[in-house]
């Protein structure tokens, strides 16, 4: 190798937590540097991304976390159902979200501004009140809060206090 080149290597630990049936995903977590701050991002509905499969949202979340100096990101959702857009009450999901929020340095609320899941969004914001000091949101280029990472206006993360 030429002396003008630098080789960089990294290891990313990926954890995915699914229901036994595989119909629900509760957590998707990427960790690449345990010495840096950790983030949780809360969105609405999980995709089929797994410990091995990426999708655009998981890629954008990981990239946004890296660019903002985090060493890990936990992706959680209001509902764990992968192929069922209707919200369902799930105590396991709520428990995992709260566990991840407790451990994280930063909680990013990014479930979008759509009219879906209004009751669940309000309930989640209320449940997150004990974590007020570490609550943030994604602001899009138009200055709108609660932006989802897939929004073309939120691809470059602007993280602001909620």
């Amino acid at each position: 190798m030429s002396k003008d080149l630098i080789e960089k290597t990294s290891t990313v630990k990926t954890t995915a937590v699914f229901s036994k049936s595989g119909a629900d995903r509760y957590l998707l977590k990427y960790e690449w540097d345990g010495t840096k701050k950790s983030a949780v991002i809360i969105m609405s509905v999980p995709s089929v991304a797994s410990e091995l499969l990426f999708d655009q949202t998981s890629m954008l979340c990981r990239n946004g976390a890296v660019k903002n100096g985090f060493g890990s990101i936990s992706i959680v959702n209001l509902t764990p159902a992968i192929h069922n857009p209707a919200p369902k009450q799930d105590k396991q999901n709520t428990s995992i979200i709260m566990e991840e929020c407790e451990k994280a340095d930063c909680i990013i609320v990014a479930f979008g501004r759509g009219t879906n899941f209004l009751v669940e969004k309000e309930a989640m914001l209320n449940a997150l009140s004990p974590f007020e000091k570490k609550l943030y949101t994604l602001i899009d280029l138009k200055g709108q809060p609660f932006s989802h990472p897939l929004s073309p206006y939120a691809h470059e993360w602007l993280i602001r206090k909620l």
Side-chain angles (χ1 to χ4, degrees):
M1 186 181 316
S2 168
K3 64 180 180 176
D4 296 331
L5 303 177
I6 298 171
E7 182 176 321
K8 294 183 176 186
T9 305
S10 69
T11 300
V12 178
K13 178 182 178 185
T14 307
T15 304
V17 178
F18 291 91
S19 60
K20 286 183 180 181
S21 69
D24 301 307
R25 190 186 77 209
Y26 295 98
L27 172 66
L28 185 57
K29 183 174 184 170
Y30 303 104
E31 183 178 356
W32 53 93
D33 188 340
T35 67
K36 293 183 177 180
K37 289 185 177 184
S38 61
V40 171
I41 187 163
I42 303 172
M43 295 178 284
S44 295
V45 182
S47 68
V48 296
S50 70
E51 75 282 7
L52 297 175
L53 294 175
F54 285 102
D55 68 351
Q56 190 173 5
T57 302
S58 60
M59 179 203 61
L60 289 168
C61 288
R62 193 168 121 186
N63 289 352
V66 170
K67 289 177 182 179
N68 282 276
F70 294 104
S72 68
I73 188 157
S74 297
I75 299 172
V76 294
N77 293 278
L78 294 174
T79 180
I82 296 170
H83 295 293
N84 183 359
K88 68 175 192 174
Q89 292 287 15
D90 189 308
K91 290 179 182 175
Q92 184 68 53
N93 190 52
T94 302
S95 175
I96 289 173
I97 290 172
M98 291 300 132
E99 285 175 28
E100 291 301 310
C101 288
E102 181 71 38
K103 294 185 284 188
D105 297 299
C106 176
I107 302 165
I108 303 167
V109 182
F111 38 57
R113 289 178 306 281
T115 57
N116 311 13
F117 306 106
L118 290 178
V119 171
E120 292 77 11
K121 290 175 182 179
E122 188 65 33
M124 180 58 63
L125 289 173
N126 288 334
L128 294 172
S129 62
F131 307 113
E132 181 181 351
K133 291 183 180 180
K134 54 183 178 177
L135 275 181
Y136 293 82
T137 187
L138 286 185
I139 303 292
D140 68 15
L141 294 175
K142 295 180 177 182
Q144 298 293 313
F146 302 112
S147 295
H148 189 281
L150 275 179
S151 166
Y153 297 108
H155 282 192
E156 292 299 320
W157 285 17
L158 297 171
I159 301 172
R160 297 289 184 266
K161 190 83 177 85
L162 194 59

